[in-house]
Amino acid sequence: KLKKGDFAFIEFNSLLDNKEVGVFDVNGKILIRRFVIRRGKVVLKPDNKELEEMEIKDSDKFYIVGKVLPFPQEFFRFDKIMLCYEHP
């Protein structure tokens, strides 16, 4: 589970299996969420219970940027997370 100030390793252009954590571009907004296939639909589910799930609609511009790779968070602590990538 990523917390504010955590650093994330991203494997770009990687396919995701159900319930893996990824980085997504949804209508120009970058999100880190759990990728869930539910009843044939893609749902982006946050681990943070204060945030709402997002079901991807056909009208959405949706890209999988990459997969968040697990690693021990105690090795990396930063005040800000910066993610840079180029649209496909």
Side-chain angles (χ1 to χ4, degrees), residues 30-81:
I30 302 298
L31 302 169
I32 296 177
R33 298 286 190 272
R34 196 163 296 279
F35 179 79
V36 177
I37 303 293
R38 187 182 301 145
R39 291 179 233 125
K41 305 269 186 181
V42 173
V43 177
L44 301 181
K45 182 177 179 178
D47 285 346
N48 180 344
K49 304 298 181 201
E50 295 176 14
L51 301 174
E52 293 185 23
E53 293 182 351
M54 175 184 288
E55 184 176 303
I56 302 303
K57 301 175 186 75
D58 291 338
S59 60
D60 288 326
K61 290 184 181 180
F62 174 71
Y63 302 99
I64 298 174
V65 177
K67 182 190 306 190
V68 175
L69 301 175
F71 69 96
Q73 290 291 332
E74 62 269 13
F75 292 115
F76 300 96
R77 299 298 297 177
F78 294 93
D79 291 331
K80 296 180 182 178
I81 295 175

Side-chain angles (χ1 to χ4, degrees), residues 12 23-25 46 72:
F12 291 94
V23 178
F24 307 94
D25 180 333

